[in-house]
Amino acid sequence: MAISDWPESERPREKLLKNGPAYLSDAELLAIFLRTGMAGKSAVDLARELLQCFNGLTGLFAADQNAFCQVRGMGPAKYSQLQAVMEMARRALEEKLKSGDTMSSPKSVRDYLRLSLQGKKHEVFVAIFLDAQNRTIATEELFKGTLTQTSVYPREVVKRALHHNSAAIIFAHNHPSGIAEPSQADEILTQSLKQALALIDVKVLDHFIVGAGTAMSFAERGLI
């Protein structure tokens, strides 16, 4: 049965307009994005198939074009639309970070980092450079590593901090394994960076580890 034949109260688009997006399931939200299904499958059926194939939204967003297009009914056009939606969300969050005190909106920082890092196949190390009012000056991917580790050089971080004339920094890196727990090496690195940056009077406010659907804060754990 096509979605147009469903009772109006059960149709995803009508439910969203009446109750808001938070009331919809992942499959219903994805169905609105897909717009149409295919022979024998409604858009919701197709959305459920995609979520099962990629183990949820996180896996779907991280899928490369080849894997995405192998799903029957999907193609380059739909893949491009999905990437565009994700990039718009990232840019909207980045605008929000730049518009005020970054530390007053920790959820926005988390959401931005999750969208930016959780889908990457290799470790990357990112710095958010802040001014004296904790407003975002710039966000840079400083180092890129392998599947399990990234080499980070404090001297290069100090150089970038001086370049941006930043007063504070938030660090983040991803764990492709999906486990957002700090290793001993992560803790040692954070302290090394903190000490190096203290020499030029730049504060390290936090270090996030991004895993599958979450971002762990060093500051919240008392590790900064």
Side-chain angles (χ1 to χ4, degrees):
M1 182 184 295
I3 291 177
S4 59
D5 296 324
W6 294 8
E8 188 171 318
S9 61
E10 295 181 13
R11 300 175 195 167
R13 186 179 293 110
E14 283 72 10
K15 285 175 65 175
L16 184 148
L17 293 173
K18 181 179 180 180
N19 302 312
Y23 283 84
L24 273 65
S25 67
D26 291 349
E28 289 172 324
L29 289 170
L30 186 55
I32 293 175
F33 166 78
L34 294 173
R35 295 181 59 193
T36 60
M38 52 189 298
K41 293 180 182 178
S42 69
V44 173
D45 293 330
L46 187 54
R48 288 174 180 150
E49 183 178 317
L50 279 167
L51 292 172
Q52 183 176 9
C53 179
F54 293 105
N55 295 315
L57 289 173
T58 299
L60 176 62
F61 294 157
D64 60 28
Q65 182 178 345
N66 184 57
F68 183 87
C69 294
Q70 284 182 0
V71 178
R72 186 166 174 260
M74 297 297 101
K78 194 62 70 177
Y79 179 78
S80 297
Q81 290 173 18
L82 182 61
Q83 295 304 306
V85 168
M86 291 174 60
E87 183 60 25
M88 285 190 291
R90 275 192 290 263
R91 293 186 187 188
L93 287 168
E94 189 171 19
E95 285 180 5
K96 187 174 182 180
L97 292 183
K98 289 181 177 179
S99 66
D101 183 345
T102 300
M103 299 310 291
S104 69
S105 55
K107 184 178 183 300
S108 295
V109 177
R110 267 196 167 89
D111 289 344
Y112 172 75
L113 292 172
R114 284 174 55 198
L115 271 175
S116 300
L117 301 181
Q118 70 180 2
K120 294 186 179 294
K121 304 300 183 184
H122 296 79
E123 276 201 13
V124 295
F125 189 87
V126 168
I128 302 175
F129 298 95
L130 310 172
D131 66 14
Q133 285 73 47
N134 291 336
R135 294 174 300 195
T136 300
I137 300 170
T139 301
E140 290 188 7
E141 183 180 298
L142 297 179
F143 306 101
K144 183 180 295 184
T146 65
L147 183 62
T148 57
Q149 64 181 3
T150 303
S151 296
V152 178
Y153 302 99
R155 178 182 176 184
E156 296 302 314
V157 176
V158 169
K159 285 170 62 177
R160 297 310 297 165
L162 289 170
H163 171 80
H164 291 294
N165 194 29
S166 57
I169 294 181
I170 295 173
F171 294 117
H173 75 278
N174 63 312
H175 281 180
S177 66
I179 302 173
E181 285 297 320
S183 65
Q184 184 178 12
D186 291 333
E187 294 185 32
I188 292 172
L189 171 63
T190 303
Q191 293 306 316
S192 296
L193 290 169
K194 184 177 177 181
Q195 292 168 12
L197 289 161
L199 297 174
I200 58 170
D201 199 27
V202 175
K203 296 180 181 178
V204 177
L205 300 182
D206 209 339
H207 184 170
F208 288 91
I209 297 179
V210 178
T214 187
M216 189 284 300
S217 162
F218 273 59
E220 292 178 358
R221 291 277 187 94
L223 298 174
I224 291 289

